[in-house]
Amino acid sequence: MPFLHNRVNRRVLKDRIRQAPEDRVTLSFYKYHRISDPASFRDQLFKVWAPIGVLGRIYVAQEGINAQLSVPREHFEDFRKTLDDTGFLKGVRLNIAIQDDAKSFFVLKIAVKKKIVADGLRDETFNASDSGMHLSAAAFNELSAKPDTVIVDMRNHYESEVGHFRDAILPDVDTFKEALPVVENMLSDKKDSNVIMYCTGGIRCEKASAWMKHRGFKHVFQLDGGIIEYARQVKEQGLENKFIGKNFVFDDRLGERISPEVISVCHQCGAPCDTHTNCKNDGCHLLFIQCEACAAKYNGCCSEECKEIIALPAEAQKQMRKGKAQQRKVFHKGRSPKIRFKGTA
């Protein structure tokens, strides 16, 4: 029986995957479905996925599952069979990565959560299943061209900064939970307009669109499968691509290029750039945008201060971090005083 959690150092796992010759498929999927015993379901998934080499970050809750993962291409059909055997996941749409270097994930982590997406909503207060009408890429292009249509990006500011749909409203928020009331307020006079909501793979819009309908918005739509599925349909069907820049993704790739435009700037020098990275200082790990020149100048760090710290012996760095809570600074990207430049290229 496989271990139900990882017992190998993360850096060792990264080295293994980087050196492995196998071809992997990166994908994501979600499904809202009542799961009576999330912990048992989590264990069941680990037991069938670990042996076939599945890696990724999967959240399981009583309301369903939200999965971002990679699987060896040679075991892809085996993986699909595990979904079909699960019952409620049979035939679930898999959002396959647009750009895949096979190094997106390094460990299999399946966590039991209160919700598969932190939205701050009390589902019992509204019909969470009454979501907006799903739009294909072609339907999105057609509806978005109408003058009475509003396009809303339901992602966080560090996602939309590197890529978004043309003419979309981009809430300057750090979390999805924060976005919902902000968007409702921004669109308070648009309750009779066509409102199209979009996100990375569609999961956030399932809840957001239902909430907006509950709050009195009459014509609510959502981009089916999010940006990932939109990009696939545009390519396969030869449609006009209305998304500019990169699609931010929550794995070690940190982005997929959807169009050639670079719409953001390096946070350290202001040069056109849309490459996200995490500060190499283990006591910082700030997520920020850094060009190649600044990466060399600062040795992959967000500041001179952090550059000086990583030059110290490993034990000295460890002592500096001792007793300090290391917050997840993804949500603080662009808010740090270390960021000198922010905006469009």
Side-chain angles (χ1 to χ4, degrees), residues 184-197:
E184 183 180 348
N185 183 62
M186 293 175 72
L187 302 183
S188 59
D189 62 342
K190 304 290 185 182
K191 291 193 173 183
D192 292 324
S193 300
N194 295 321
V195 176
I196 304 178
M197 315 183 88

Side-chain angles (χ1 to χ4, degrees), residues 118-186:
D119 52 35
L121 298 175
R122 294 173 55 199
D123 291 357
E124 67 274 13
T125 64
F126 72 107
N127 185 358
S129 65
D130 185 24
S131 57
M133 182 179 295
H134 290 67
L135 297 175
S136 65
F140 174 93
N141 283 359
E142 180 180 359
L143 187 60
S144 64
K146 295 185 177 182
D148 61 340
T149 296
V150 180
I151 308 171
V152 186
D153 194 320
M154 292 306 300
R155 302 173 303 153
N156 307 325
H157 70 103
Y158 53 87
E159 299 174 79
S160 61
E161 182 177 5
V162 294
H164 54 78
F165 280 102
R166 294 188 181 94
D167 301 321
I169 293 175
L170 312 174
D172 187 23
V173 297
D174 295 339
T175 66
F176 177 54
K177 179 179 178 180
E178 180 185 342
L180 289 169
V182 169
V183 168
E184 183 180 348
N185 183 62
M186 293 175 72

Side-chain angles (χ1 to χ4, degrees), residues 98-268:
I98 304 300
Q99 290 184 320
D100 195 352
D101 61 4
K103 314 298 185 215
S104 52
F105 294 100
F106 303 93
V107 66
L108 176 58
K109 180 180 180 181
I110 310 177
V112 174
K113 298 282 188 177
K114 291 183 178 180
K115 286 196 170 188
I116 54 178
V117 175
D119 52 35
L121 298 175
R122 294 173 55 199
D123 291 357
E124 67 274 13
T125 64
F126 72 107
N127 185 358
S129 65
D130 185 24
S131 57
M133 182 179 295
H134 290 67
L135 297 175
S136 65
F140 174 93
N141 283 359
E142 180 180 359
L143 187 60
S144 64
K146 295 185 177 182
D148 61 340
T149 296
V150 180
I151 308 171
V152 186
D153 194 320
M154 292 306 300
R155 302 173 303 153
N156 307 325
H157 70 103
Y158 53 87
E159 299 174 79
S160 61
E161 182 177 5
V162 294
H164 54 78
F165 280 102
R166 294 188 181 94
D167 301 321
I169 293 175
L170 312 174
D172 187 23
V173 297
D174 295 339
T175 66
F176 177 54
K177 179 179 178 180
E178 180 185 342
L180 289 169
V182 169
V183 168
E184 183 180 348
N185 183 62
M186 293 175 72
L187 302 183
S188 59
D189 62 342
K190 304 290 185 182
K191 291 193 173 183
D192 292 324
S193 300
N194 295 321
V195 176
I196 304 178
M197 315 183 88
Y198 73 88
C199 55
T200 307
I203 188 170
R204 284 176 274 191
C205 292
E206 290 286 346
K207 265 304 173 59
S209 62
W211 176 253
M212 295 294 278
K213 290 179 69 174
H214 171 69
R215 299 296 291 173
F217 289 83
K218 299 176 182 178
H219 311 290
V220 183
F221 304 84
Q222 61 174 298
L223 181 58
D224 191 27
I227 300 164
I228 298 174
E229 178 65 10
Y230 176 87
R232 186 189 69 80
Q233 291 182 18
V234 162
K235 183 177 181 180
E236 289 186 354
Q237 300 173 28
L239 303 173
E240 177 189 0
N241 179 21
K242 294 193 173 187
F243 189 93
I244 54 176
K246 268 186 175 180
N247 178 31
F248 184 95
V249 292
F250 290 88
D251 58 55
D252 278 62
R253 295 172 299 148
L254 295 178
E256 296 180 321
R257 183 156 300 287
I258 307 299
S259 81
E261 295 94 341
V262 176
I263 67 170
S264 53
V265 299
C266 172
H267 287 162
Q268 292 174 310

Side-chain angles (χ1 to χ4, degrees), residues 52 71-84:
I52 59 175
V71 59
R73 191 173 295 277
E74 65 175 329
H75 293 308
F76 186 78
E77 291 307 317
D78 296 327
F79 168 74
R80 194 189 293 274
K81 185 177 184 303
T82 68
L83 299 180
D84 291 344

